[in-house]
Coordinates of all heavy atoms in Angstrom, one line a residue:
M1039 N -49.5 20.0 -70.4 CA -48.5 19.9 -71.5 C -47.6 18.7 -71.3 O -47.1 18.6 -70.2 CB -47.7 21.2 -71.5 CG -46.7 21.3 -72.6 SD -45.5 22.6 -72.4 CE -46.3 23.8 -71.3
D1040 N -47.5 17.9 -72.3 CA -46.6 16.7 -72.1 C -45.3 17.0 -72.9 O -45.2 16.8 -74.1 CB -47.3 15.5 -72.7 CG -46.5 14.2 -72.6 OD1 -45.4 14.3 -71.9 OD2 -47.0 13.1 -73.0
I1041 N -44.3 17.5 -72.1 CA -43.0 17.8 -72.7 C -42.4 16.7 -73.4 O -41.7 16.8 -74.5 CB -42.1 18.5 -71.6 CG1 -42.7 19.9 -71.3 CG2 -40.7 18.7 -72.2 CD1 -41.9 20.7 -70.3
D1042 N -42.5 15.5 -72.8 CA -41.9 14.3 -73.5 C -42.3 14.1 -74.9 O -41.4 13.8 -75.8 CB -42.2 13.0 -72.7 CG -41.3 12.9 -71.4 OD1 -40.4 13.7 -71.3 OD2 -41.6 12.0 -70.6
T1043 N -43.5 14.4 -75.1 CA -44.1 14.2 -76.5 C -43.4 15.2 -77.4 O -43.0 14.9 -78.6 CB -45.6 14.4 -76.5 OG1 -46.1 13.6 -75.6 CG2 -46.2 14.1 -77.9
Y1044 N -43.3 16.5 -77.0 CA -42.7 17.5 -77.8 C -41.2 17.2 -78.0 O -40.6 17.4 -79.1 CB -42.8 18.9 -77.2 CG -44.2 19.4 -77.1 CD1 -44.8 19.7 -75.9 CD2 -45.0 19.4 -78.3 CE1 -46.1 20.1 -75.9 CE2 -46.4 19.8 -78.2 CZ -46.9 20.2 -77.0 OH -48.2 20.6 -77.0
E1045 N -40.6 16.7 -77.0 CA -39.2 16.4 -77.1 C -39.0 15.3 -78.1 O -38.0 15.3 -79.0 CB -38.6 15.9 -75.7 CG -37.1 15.7 -75.7 CD -36.5 15.4 -74.4 OE1 -37.2 14.9 -73.5 OE2 -35.3 15.6 -74.2
Q1046 N -39.8 14.2 -78.1 CA -39.7 13.1 -79.1 C -39.9 13.7 -80.5 O -39.2 13.3 -81.5 CB -40.7 12.0 -78.8 CG -40.4 11.3 -77.5 CD -39.0 10.7 -77.4 OE1 -38.5 10.2 -78.4 NE2 -38.3 11.0 -76.3
T1047 N -40.9 14.5 -80.6 CA -41.2 15.2 -81.9 C -39.9 16.0 -82.4 O -39.6 15.8 -83.6 CB -42.4 16.1 -81.9 OG1 -43.5 15.4 -81.3 CG2 -42.8 16.6 -83.2
L1048 N -39.3 16.7 -81.6 CA -38.2 17.5 -81.9 C -37.0 16.7 -82.3 O -36.4 16.9 -83.3 CB -37.8 18.5 -80.8 CG -38.8 19.6 -80.5 CD1 -38.6 20.2 -79.2 CD2 -38.6 20.7 -81.6
I1049 N -36.8 15.6 -81.5 CA -35.6 14.8 -81.8 C -35.8 14.0 -83.2 O -34.9 13.9 -84.0 CB -35.4 13.7 -80.6 CG1 -34.9 14.5 -79.4 CG2 -34.5 12.6 -81.0 CD1 -34.9 13.7 -78.2
A1050 N -37.1 13.6 -83.4 CA -37.4 12.8 -84.6 C -37.2 13.7 -85.8 O -36.6 13.4 -86.9 CB -38.7 12.3 -84.6
R1051 N -37.6 15.0 -85.7 CA -37.5 16.0 -86.7 C -36.0 16.3 -87.1 O -35.6 16.5 -88.1 CB -38.3 17.2 -86.4 CG -38.3 18.4 -87.4 CD -38.9 18.1 -88.7 NE -38.8 19.1 -89.7 CZ -38.6 18.9 -91.0 NH1 -38.6 17.7 -91.5 NH2 -38.5 19.9 -91.8
R1052 N -35.3 16.5 -86.0 CA -33.9 16.7 -86.1 C -33.2 15.6 -86.8 O -32.3 15.9 -87.7 CB -33.3 16.9 -84.7 CG -31.9 17.5 -84.7 CD -31.2 17.6 -83.4 NE -30.1 18.4 -83.4 CZ -28.9 18.1 -83.9 NH1 -28.8 16.9 -84.5 NH2 -27.9 19.0 -83.9
A1053 N -33.4 14.4 -86.5 CA -32.9 13.2 -87.1 C -33.1 13.2 -88.7 O -32.3 12.9 -89.5 CB -33.3 11.9 -86.5
E1054 N -34.4 13.6 -88.9 CA -34.9 13.6 -90.3 C -34.0 14.7 -91.1 O -33.6 14.5 -92.2 CB -36.3 14.0 -90.3 CG -37.1 13.7 -91.5 CD -38.6 14.1 -91.3 OE1 -39.2 13.5 -90.5 OE2 -39.0 15.0 -92.0
L1055 N -33.9 15.9 -90.4 CA -33.1 17.0 -91.1 C -31.6 16.6 -91.2 O -31.0 16.9 -92.3 CB -33.2 18.3 -90.2 CG -34.6 18.9 -90.3 CD1 -34.7 20.0 -89.2 CD2 -34.8 19.6 -91.7
V1056 N -31.1 16.0 -90.2 CA -29.6 15.6 -90.3 C -29.4 14.6 -91.5 O -28.5 14.7 -92.2 CB -29.2 15.0 -89.0 CG1 -27.8 14.5 -89.1 CG2 -29.1 16.2 -87.9
G1057 N -30.4 13.7 -91.6 CA -30.4 12.7 -92.6 C -30.4 13.4 -94.0 O -29.7 13.1 -94.9
D1058 N -31.3 14.4 -94.2 CA -31.4 15.2 -95.4 C -30.1 15.8 -95.7 O -29.6 15.9 -96.8 CB -32.4 16.3 -95.2 CG -33.9 15.8 -95.3 OD1 -34.0 14.6 -95.7 OD2 -34.8 16.5 -95.1
M1059 N -29.4 16.4 -94.7 CA -28.2 17.2 -94.9 C -27.1 16.2 -95.4 O -26.3 16.7 -96.1 CB -27.8 17.9 -93.6 CG -28.7 19.2 -93.4 SD -28.2 20.2 -92.0 CE -26.5 20.5 -92.4
V1060 N -27.0 15.1 -94.8 CA -26.0 14.1 -95.3 C -26.2 13.8 -96.7 O -25.2 13.9 -97.5 CB -26.1 12.8 -94.4 CG1 -25.2 11.7 -95.1 CG2 -25.7 13.1 -93.0
E1061 N -27.5 13.6 -97.2 CA -27.7 13.4 -98.6 C -27.2 14.6 -99.4 O -26.7 14.5 -100.5 CB -29.2 13.2 -98.9 CG -29.6 11.7 -98.6 CD -31.1 11.5 -98.7 OE1 -31.7 12.1 -99.5 OE2 -31.6 10.7 -97.9
I1062 N -27.6 15.8 -98.9 CA -27.2 17.1 -99.7 C -25.7 17.2 -99.8 O -25.1 17.5 -100.8 CB -27.8 18.3 -98.9 CG1 -29.3 18.3 -99.2 CG2 -27.2 19.6 -99.5 CD1 -30.0 19.2 -98.2
E1063 N -25.0 16.8 -98.6 CA -23.5 16.9 -98.7 C -22.9 15.9 -99.7 O -22.0 16.2 -100.4 CB -22.9 16.7 -97.3 CG -22.9 17.9 -96.5 CD -22.5 17.7 -95.1 OE1 -22.0 16.6 -94.7 OE2 -22.9 18.5 -94.2
D1064 N -23.6 14.7 -99.8 CA -23.1 13.8 -100.8 C -23.2 14.3 -102.2 O -22.3 14.2 -103.0 CB -24.0 12.5 -100.7 CG -23.6 11.6 -99.6 OD1 -22.6 11.9 -98.9 OD2 -24.3 10.7 -99.3
Q1065 N -24.4 15.1 -102.4 CA -24.6 15.6 -103.8 C -23.6 16.7 -104.1 O -23.1 16.8 -105.2 CB -26.0 16.2 -103.9 CG -27.0 15.1 -104.0 CD -28.5 15.7 -104.1 OE1 -28.7 16.7 -104.8 NE2 -29.4 15.1 -103.4
L1066 N -23.3 17.5 -103.1 CA -22.3 18.6 -103.2 C -20.8 18.1 -103.4 O -20.0 18.8 -104.0 CB -22.4 19.6 -102.0 CG -23.6 20.4 -101.9 CD1 -23.6 21.2 -100.7 CD2 -23.9 21.3 -103.1
D1067 N -20.6 16.9 -103.0 CA -19.3 16.3 -103.1 C -19.0 15.9 -104.5 O -17.9 15.7 -104.9 CB -19.1 15.1 -102.2 CG -18.8 15.6 -100.7 OD1 -18.5 16.8 -100.6 OD2 -18.9 14.8 -99.8
D1068 N -20.1 15.7 -105.3 CA -19.9 15.3 -106.7 C -19.0 16.4 -107.4 O -19.1 17.6 -107.1 CB -21.2 15.2 -107.4 CG -22.0 14.1 -106.9 OD1 -21.4 13.2 -106.3 OD2 -23.2 14.0 -107.2
P1069 N -18.2 16.0 -108.4 CA -17.3 16.8 -109.1 C -18.2 18.0 -109.7 O -19.3 17.7 -110.3 CB -16.7 16.0 -110.2 CG -17.0 14.6 -109.9 CD -18.1 14.6 -108.9
P1070 N -17.7 19.2 -109.7 CA -18.5 20.3 -110.3 C -18.8 20.2 -111.7 O -17.9 19.7 -112.5 CB -17.5 21.6 -110.1 CG -16.4 21.1 -109.2 CD -16.4 19.7 -109.2
S1071 N -20.0 20.5 -112.1 CA -20.4 20.3 -113.5 C -20.2 21.5 -114.2 O -20.3 22.6 -113.8 CB -21.9 19.9 -113.5 OG -22.3 19.9 -114.8
K1072 N -19.9 21.4 -115.5 CA -19.7 22.5 -116.4 C -21.0 23.0 -117.0 O -21.1 24.1 -117.5 CB -18.8 22.1 -117.6 CG -17.4 21.7 -117.2 CD -16.4 22.9 -117.0 CE -15.0 22.5 -116.7 NZ -14.9 22.0 -115.3
D1073 N -22.0 22.2 -116.8 CA -23.3 22.4 -117.3 C -24.1 23.4 -116.4 O -24.2 23.3 -115.2 CB -24.1 21.2 -117.5 CG -25.4 21.4 -118.2 OD1 -25.4 21.5 -119.4 OD2 -26.5 21.5 -117.5
W1074 N -24.6 24.5 -117.0 CA -25.2 25.6 -116.3 C -26.4 25.1 -115.5 O -26.6 25.4 -114.4 CB -25.7 26.7 -117.3 CG -26.5 27.7 -116.6 CD1 -27.9 27.9 -116.7 CD2 -26.1 28.7 -115.7 NE1 -28.3 28.9 -115.8 CE2 -27.2 29.5 -115.3 CE3 -24.8 29.1 -115.2 CZ2 -27.1 30.5 -114.4 CZ3 -24.7 30.1 -114.3 CH2 -25.8 30.9 -113.9
D1075 N -27.3 24.2 -116.1 CA -28.5 23.7 -115.4 C -28.1 22.9 -114.1 O -28.7 23.1 -113.1 CB -29.3 22.8 -116.3 CG -30.1 23.6 -117.4 OD1 -30.3 24.9 -117.1 OD2 -30.4 23.0 -118.4
D1076 N -27.1 22.2 -114.2 CA -26.6 21.4 -113.1 C -26.1 22.3 -111.9 O -26.4 22.1 -110.8 CB -25.4 20.5 -113.5 CG -26.0 19.1 -114.0 OD1 -27.2 19.0 -114.1 OD2 -25.2 18.2 -114.1
R1077 N -25.5 23.4 -112.3 CA -24.9 24.3 -111.3 C -26.1 25.0 -110.6 O -26.0 25.3 -109.4 CB -24.0 25.3 -112.0 CG -22.6 24.8 -112.2 CD -21.6 25.9 -112.2 NE -22.0 26.8 -113.3 CZ -21.3 27.2 -114.3 NH1 -20.0 26.8 -114.4 NH2 -21.7 28.1 -115.2
S1078 N -27.1 25.4 -111.3 CA -28.2 26.1 -110.7 C -29.0 25.1 -109.7 O -29.5 25.5 -108.6 CB -29.2 26.8 -111.7 OG -29.9 25.8 -112.3
T1079 N -29.0 23.8 -110.1 CA -29.6 22.9 -109.2 C -28.7 22.8 -107.9 O -29.3 22.7 -106.8 CB -29.6 21.5 -109.9 OG1 -30.3 21.6 -111.2 CG2 -30.4 20.4 -109.0
E1080 N -27.4 22.8 -108.1 CA -26.6 22.8 -106.9 C -26.8 23.9 -105.9 O -26.8 23.7 -104.8 CB -25.1 22.7 -107.3 CG -24.6 21.3 -107.7 CD -23.2 21.3 -108.3 OE1 -22.5 22.3 -108.1 OE2 -22.9 20.4 -109.0
R1081 N -27.0 25.1 -106.6 CA -27.3 26.2 -105.7 C -28.6 26.0 -104.9 O -28.7 26.4 -103.7 CB -27.4 27.5 -106.5 CG -26.1 28.3 -106.5 CD -26.3 29.7 -106.9 NE -26.7 29.8 -108.3 CZ -25.9 29.8 -109.3 NH1 -24.6 29.7 -109.1 NH2 -26.4 29.8 -110.5
Q1082 N -29.6 25.4 -105.6 CA -30.9 25.2 -104.8 C -30.7 24.2 -103.7 O -31.2 24.4 -102.6 CB -31.9 24.6 -105.8 CG -32.6 25.5 -106.7 CD -33.5 24.9 -107.8 OE1 -33.4 23.7 -108.0 NE2 -34.3 25.7 -108.4
V1083 N -29.8 23.2 -104.0 CA -29.5 22.2 -102.9 C -28.8 22.9 -101.7 O -29.1 22.7 -100.5 CB -28.7 21.1 -103.4 CG1 -28.1 20.3 -102.4 CG2 -29.5 20.2 -104.4
E1084 N -27.9 23.9 -102.0 CA -27.2 24.6 -101.0 C -28.2 25.4 -100.2 O -28.1 25.5 -98.9 CB -26.1 25.5 -101.6 CG -24.8 24.8 -101.8 CD -23.8 25.7 -102.5 OE1 -24.0 26.9 -102.6 OE2 -22.8 25.2 -103.0
A1085 N -29.1 26.1 -100.8 CA -30.1 26.9 -100.1 C -31.0 26.1 -99.2 O -31.3 26.5 -98.1 CB -31.0 27.7 -101.1
L1086 N -31.4 24.9 -99.7 CA -32.1 23.9 -98.8 C -31.3 23.5 -97.6 O -31.8 23.5 -96.5 CB -32.5 22.7 -99.7 CG -33.3 21.6 -99.0 CD1 -34.7 22.2 -98.7 CD2 -33.3 20.4 -99.8
G1087 N -30.0 23.4 -97.8 CA -29.2 23.0 -96.7 C -29.2 24.1 -95.6 O -29.2 23.8 -94.4
N1088 N -29.1 25.4 -96.1 CA -29.1 26.5 -95.1 C -30.4 26.5 -94.4 O -30.4 26.8 -93.2 CB -28.9 27.8 -95.9 CG -27.4 27.8 -96.3 OD1 -26.5 27.3 -95.7 ND2 -27.1 28.7 -97.3
S1089 N -31.5 26.3 -95.1 CA -32.8 26.5 -94.3 C -32.9 25.3 -93.3 O -33.5 25.4 -92.2 CB -34.0 26.5 -95.2 OG -34.3 25.3 -95.8
D1090 N -32.4 24.1 -93.7 CA -32.4 23.0 -92.8 C -31.5 23.3 -91.6 O -31.9 23.0 -90.5 CB -31.8 21.7 -93.5 CG -32.8 21.1 -94.4 OD1 -34.0 21.5 -94.4 OD2 -32.4 20.0 -95.1
L1091 N -30.4 23.9 -91.8 CA -29.5 24.3 -90.7 C -30.2 25.2 -89.8 O -30.0 25.1 -88.6 CB -28.2 24.9 -91.3 CG -27.0 24.8 -90.5 CD1 -26.6 23.3 -90.3 CD2 -25.9 25.6 -91.1
A1092 N -30.9 26.2 -90.3 CA -31.6 27.1 -89.5 C -32.6 26.4 -88.6 O -32.8 26.7 -87.4 CB -32.3 28.1 -90.3
E1093 N -33.3 25.4 -89.2 CA -34.3 24.7 -88.4 C -33.6 23.8 -87.4 O -34.2 23.7 -86.2 CB -35.2 23.8 -89.4 CG -36.3 23.2 -88.7 CD -37.3 22.5 -89.6 OE1 -37.2 22.5 -90.8 OE2 -38.2 21.8 -89.0
I1094 N -32.6 23.2 -87.7 CA -31.8 22.4 -86.7 C -31.4 23.3 -85.5 O -31.5 22.8 -84.4 CB -30.6 21.7 -87.4 CG1 -31.0 20.6 -88.3 CG2 -29.6 21.1 -86.3 CD1 -30.0 20.0 -89.1
K1095 N -31.0 24.5 -85.8 CA -30.6 25.4 -84.7 C -31.8 25.7 -83.8 O -31.6 25.8 -82.6 CB -30.0 26.7 -85.3 CG -28.5 26.6 -85.7 CD -28.0 27.8 -86.2 CE -26.5 27.6 -86.7 NZ -26.1 28.7 -87.6
R1096 N -33.0 26.0 -84.5 CA -34.2 26.2 -83.7 C -34.5 25.0 -82.8 O -34.9 25.1 -81.6 CB -35.3 26.6 -84.5 CG -35.3 28.0 -85.2 CD -36.7 28.4 -85.6 NE -37.3 27.5 -86.4 CZ -37.2 27.5 -87.8 NH1 -36.4 28.3 -88.4 NH2 -37.8 26.6 -88.5
I1097 N -34.4 23.8 -83.4 CA -34.7 22.6 -82.7 C -33.7 22.4 -81.5 O -34.2 22.1 -80.4 CB -34.7 21.4 -83.5 CG1 -35.9 21.5 -84.5 CG2 -34.7 20.1 -82.8 CD1 -35.9 20.4 -85.6
D1098 N -32.4 22.7 -81.7 CA -31.4 22.5 -80.7 C -31.8 23.5 -79.5 O -31.6 23.2 -78.3 CB -30.0 22.8 -81.2 CG -29.4 21.6 -82.0 OD1 -30.1 20.5 -81.8 OD2 -28.4 21.7 -82.6
A1099 N -32.2 24.7 -79.9 CA -32.5 25.7 -78.8 C -33.7 25.2 -78.1 O -33.8 25.4 -76.9 CB -32.8 27.0 -79.5
A1100 N -34.6 24.6 -78.7 CA -35.9 24.2 -78.1 C -35.5 23.0 -77.1 O -36.0 22.9 -76.0 CB -36.9 23.7 -79.1
L1101 N -34.7 22.1 -77.6 CA -34.2 20.9 -76.7 C -33.4 21.5 -75.5 O -33.6 20.9 -74.4 CB -33.4 20.0 -77.6 CG -34.1 19.2 -78.6 CD1 -33.1 18.4 -79.5 CD2 -35.1 18.2 -78.0
A1102 N -32.7 22.5 -75.7 CA -31.9 23.1 -74.6 C -32.9 23.7 -73.6 O -32.7 23.6 -72.3 CB -31.0 24.2 -75.1
R1103 N -34.0 24.3 -74.1 CA -35.1 24.8 -73.2 C -35.7 23.7 -72.4 O -36.1 23.9 -71.3 CB -36.0 25.7 -74.0 CG -35.4 27.0 -74.5 CD -36.5 28.0 -74.9 NE -37.4 27.5 -75.9 CZ -37.1 27.5 -77.3 NH1 -35.9 28.1 -77.6 NH2 -37.9 27.1 -78.2
I1104 N -35.9 22.6 -73.0 CA -36.5 21.4 -72.4 C -35.6 21.1 -71.2 O -36.1 20.9 -70.1 CB -36.8 20.3 -73.3 CG1 -37.9 20.6 -74.3 CG2 -37.0 19.0 -72.6 CD1 -38.1 19.6 -75.4
K1105 N -34.3 21.0 -71.4 CA -33.3 20.6 -70.4 C -33.4 21.6 -69.3 O -33.3 21.4 -68.1 CB -32.0 20.5 -70.9 CG -31.8 19.2 -71.7 CD -30.3 18.9 -71.8 CE -30.0 17.5 -72.3 NZ -30.5 17.3 -73.7
A1106 N -33.5 23.0 -69.7 CA -33.5 24.1 -68.7 C -34.7 24.2 -67.9 O -34.8 24.9 -66.9 CB -33.1 25.3 -69.4
G1107 N -35.8 23.5 -68.5 CA -37.1 23.7 -67.8 C -37.9 24.8 -68.2 O -38.9 25.2 -67.6
T1108 N -37.5 25.6 -69.2 CA -38.2 26.8 -69.7 C -38.9 26.5 -71.0 O -39.6 27.5 -71.5 CB -37.2 27.9 -70.0 OG1 -36.2 27.5 -71.0 CG2 -36.4 28.3 -68.7
Y1109 N -39.0 25.3 -71.5 CA -39.7 24.9 -72.7 C -41.2 25.2 -72.5 O -41.7 24.9 -71.5 CB -39.4 23.5 -73.1 CG -40.2 23.1 -74.3 CD1 -39.6 23.5 -75.6 CD2 -41.4 22.5 -74.4 CE1 -40.3 23.2 -76.8 CE2 -42.0 22.1 -75.5 CZ -41.5 22.5 -76.8 OH -42.1 22.2 -77.9
G1110 N -41.8 25.9 -73.5 CA -43.3 26.0 -73.5 C -43.6 27.4 -73.0 O -44.7 27.7 -72.9
Y1111 N -42.6 28.2 -72.6 CA -42.8 29.5 -72.1 C -42.2 30.5 -73.1 O -41.1 30.2 -73.6 CB -42.2 29.7 -70.7 CG -42.9 28.9 -69.6 CD1 -42.5 27.7 -69.3 CD2 -44.1 29.5 -69.1 CE1 -43.2 26.9 -68.3 CE2 -44.8 28.7 -68.1 CZ -44.4 27.4 -67.8 OH -45.1 26.7 -66.9
C1112 N -42.9 31.5 -73.4 CA -42.5 32.6 -74.3 C -41.2 33.2 -73.8 O -41.1 33.6 -72.7 CB -43.6 33.6 -74.5 SG -43.1 34.9 -75.6
Q1113 N -40.2 33.2 -74.8 CA -38.8 33.8 -74.4 C -38.9 35.3 -74.4 O -38.0 35.9 -74.0 CB -37.8 33.3 -75.4 CG -37.6 31.8 -75.5 CD -37.1 31.2 -74.2 OE1 -36.0 31.4 -73.8 NE2 -38.0 30.5 -73.5
K1114 N -40.0 35.9 -74.8 CA -40.2 37.4 -74.8 C -40.9 37.8 -73.6 O -40.5 38.7 -72.8 CB -40.8 37.8 -76.1 CG -40.3 39.1 -76.6 CD -40.9 39.3 -78.0 CE -40.1 40.3 -78.8 NZ -40.7 40.3 -80.2
C1115 N -42.1 37.3 -73.4 CA -43.1 37.8 -72.3 C -43.1 36.9 -71.1 O -43.7 37.3 -70.1 CB -44.4 38.2 -72.9 SG -45.4 36.7 -73.4
G1116 N -42.6 35.6 -71.3 CA -42.7 34.6 -70.3 C -44.1 34.0 -70.0 O -44.2 33.1 -69.2
E1117 N -45.0 34.3 -70.9 CA -46.4 33.6 -70.9 C -46.2 32.2 -71.4 O -45.4 31.9 -72.2 CB -47.4 34.3 -71.7 CG -47.9 35.6 -71.2 CD -48.7 35.4 -69.9 OE1 -49.6 34.6 -69.9 OE2 -48.4 36.2 -68.9
Q1118 N -47.1 31.3 -70.9 CA -47.1 29.9 -71.4 C -47.6 29.9 -72.8 O -48.6 30.5 -73.1 CB -48.0 29.0 -70.5 CG -47.6 27.6 -70.6 CD -48.3 26.7 -69.5 OE1 -48.7 27.2 -68.4 NE2 -48.3 25.4 -69.7
I1119 N -46.9 29.1 -73.6 CA -47.3 29.0 -75.1 C -48.4 27.9 -75.1 O -48.2 26.9 -74.5 CB -46.1 28.6 -75.9 CG1 -45.0 29.7 -75.8 CG2 -46.6 28.5 -77.4 CD1 -43.7 29.3 -76.5
S1120 N -49.4 28.1 -75.9 CA -50.6 27.1 -75.9 C -50.1 25.8 -76.5 O -49.2 25.7 -77.4 CB -51.7 27.7 -76.7 OG -51.4 27.7 -78.0
D1121 N -50.8 24.7 -76.0 CA -50.4 23.4 -76.6 C -50.7 23.3 -78.1 O -50.0 22.7 -78.9 CB -51.3 22.3 -75.9 CG -50.6 21.9 -74.6 OD1 -49.4 22.3 -74.4 OD2 -51.3 21.2 -73.8
A1122 N -51.8 24.0 -78.6 CA -52.1 24.0 -79.9 C -51.0 24.6 -80.8 O -50.6 24.0 -81.8 CB -53.4 24.8 -80.2
R1123 N -50.4 25.7 -80.3 CA -49.3 26.3 -80.9 C -48.0 25.4 -80.9 O -47.3 25.3 -81.9 CB -49.0 27.7 -80.3 CG -48.0 28.4 -81.0 CD -47.9 29.9 -80.6 NE -46.6 30.5 -80.9 CZ -46.4 30.9 -82.2 NH1 -47.3 30.8 -83.2 NH2 -45.2 31.4 -82.5
L1124 N -47.7 24.8 -79.8 CA -46.6 23.9 -79.7 C -46.7 22.7 -80.6 O -45.7 22.2 -81.1 CB -46.3 23.5 -78.2 CG -45.7 24.7 -77.4 CD1 -45.7 24.2 -75.9 CD2 -44.4 25.2 -77.8
T1125 N -47.9 22.2 -80.7 CA -48.2 21.0 -81.5 C -47.8 21.3 -82.9 O -47.2 20.5 -83.7 CB -49.6 20.5 -81.4 OG1 -49.9 20.2 -80.0 CG2 -49.8 19.2 -82.2
L1126 N -48.2 22.6 -83.4 CA -48.0 23.0 -84.7 C -46.6 23.4 -84.9 O -45.9 23.1 -86.0 CB -48.9 24.2 -85.0 CG -49.4 24.4 -86.3 CD1 -50.4 23.3 -86.8 CD2 -50.2 25.8 -86.5
L1127 N -46.0 24.1 -84.0 CA -44.6 24.6 -84.1 C -43.8 24.3 -82.8 O -43.5 25.1 -82.0 CB -44.6 26.1 -84.2 CG -45.4 26.7 -85.4 CD1 -45.6 28.2 -85.2 CD2 -44.6 26.6 -86.7
P1128 N -43.4 23.0 -82.7 CA -42.8 22.6 -81.4 C -41.4 23.3 -81.1 O -41.0 23.3 -79.9 CB -42.5 21.1 -81.6 CG -42.7 20.8 -83.0 CD -43.5 21.9 -83.6
D1129 N -40.8 23.9 -82.1 CA -39.5 24.6 -81.9 C -39.7 26.1 -81.6 O -38.8 26.9 -81.6 CB -38.5 24.3 -83.0 CG -39.0 24.8 -84.3 OD1 -40.0 25.5 -84.4 OD2 -38.3 24.5 -85.4
T1130 N -41.0 26.6 -81.6 CA -41.1 28.1 -81.5 C -40.7 28.5 -80.1 O -41.1 27.9 -79.1 CB -42.6 28.5 -81.8 OG1 -42.7 29.9 -81.7 CG2 -43.6 27.9 -80.7
P1131 N -40.0 29.7 -79.9 CA -39.7 30.2 -78.7 C -40.6 31.3 -78.2 O -40.4 31.8 -77.1 CB -38.2 30.8 -78.9 CG -38.2 31.1 -80.4 CD -39.3 30.3 -81.1
F1132 N -41.6 31.6 -79.1 CA -42.5 32.8 -78.7 C -43.9 32.4 -78.7 O -44.3 31.5 -79.4 CB -42.3 33.9 -79.7 CG -40.9 34.4 -79.8 CD1 -40.2 34.4 -81.0 CD2 -40.2 34.8 -78.7 CE1 -38.9 34.8 -81.1 CE2 -38.9 35.3 -78.8 CZ -38.2 35.3 -80.0
C1133 N -44.7 33.0 -77.9 CA -46.2 32.8 -77.9 C -46.7 33.5 -79.2 O -46.1 34.2 -79.9 CB -46.8 33.4 -76.6 SG -46.8 35.2 -76.6
K1134 N -48.1 33.3 -79.4 CA -48.7 33.8 -80.6 C -48.6 35.3 -80.6 O -48.4 35.9 -81.7 CB -50.2 33.3 -80.5 CG -50.8 33.2 -81.8 CD -52.3 32.6 -81.6 CE -53.0 32.5 -83.0 NZ -54.3 31.9 -82.8
T1135 N -48.7 35.9 -79.5 CA -48.7 37.4 -79.5 C -47.4 38.0 -79.9 O -47.3 38.9 -80.5 CB -49.1 37.9 -78.0 OG1 -50.2 37.1 -77.6 CG2 -49.5 39.3 -78.0
C1136 N -46.3 37.4 -79.4 CA -44.9 37.9 -79.5 C -44.3 37.5 -80.9 O -43.4 38.1 -81.3 CB -44.0 37.4 -78.4 SG -44.5 38.1 -76.8
A1137 N -44.8 36.4 -81.5 CA -44.2 35.9 -82.7 C -44.3 36.9 -83.9 O -45.3 37.6 -84.0 CB -44.9 34.6 -83.2
Ligands
ZN2518 ZN1 -44.9 36.2 -75.6

C-alpha cells in the first residue's frame, strides 16, 4: 500500500471540493430572487454544498488517520482495507465487510 498516493488523491479531491464550495457560496451571496424557479435552484445548490461538506469531513478524517498511522485499517474490525477498495474509495474508514 502506497499511502503517499492516497494522501495526494485525498488532498487533490479536497482542493477540488473546496473550490466548488467557494463557487457555491458566490452564488448564494447573490441577492435573493423573487422568482420561484430561481429559488428552487438555490436550494439544489445548498444541498450540493452539504454533500460536499460531508465529503470534506470524510477526507479530513482520512488525512488525520494517515497522520496517526491508522490509515488503511478498518475503524470497526481493525482488518487491513484492500488496495482495490482504497483506490475506489480513498476516504473510506471501513473494510468491505463492515461498510
Ligand atoms: Zn472491518
Side-chain angles (χ1 to χ4, degrees):
M1039 184 192 341
D1040 185 1
I1041 287 181
D1042 281 351
T1043 307
Y1044 295 123
E1045 187 174 22
Q1046 291 310 311
T1047 307
L1048 288 162
I1049 289 169
R1051 177 68 183 142
R1052 193 186 193 286
E1054 204 177 292
L1055 286 165
V1056 171
D1058 284 354
M1059 283 181 60
V1060 170
E1061 276 173 35
I1062 290 163
E1063 274 168 21
D1064 281 352
Q1065 288 178 41
L1066 292 176
D1067 282 344
D1068 289 345
S1071 170
K1072 299 273 182 287
D1073 187 79
W1074 172 256
D1075 284 340
D1076 271 9
R1077 276 201 310 231
S1078 70
T1079 306
E1080 275 170 26
R1081 264 198 295 277
Q1082 281 174 347
V1083 168
E1084 274 175 15
L1086 179 71
N1088 286 337
S1089 75
D1090 281 357
L1091 205 64
E1093 188 172 354
I1094 287 170
K1095 280 180 182 167
R1096 284 202 307 275
I1097 290 172
D1098 281 349
L1101 289 169
R1103 289 196 300 278
I1104 288 174
K1105 281 201 174 65
T1108 59
Y1109 180 79
Y1111 291 93
C1112 176
Q1113 300 298 292
K1114 214 172 199 176
C1115 70
E1117 287 293 313
Q1118 201 167 341
I1119 303 170
S1120 73
D1121 277 347
R1123 184 168 164 77
L1124 285 175
T1125 302
L1126 212 65
L1127 303 162
D1129 61 6
T1130 185
F1132 302 122
C1133 71
K1134 208 173 177 178
T1135 317
C1136 297

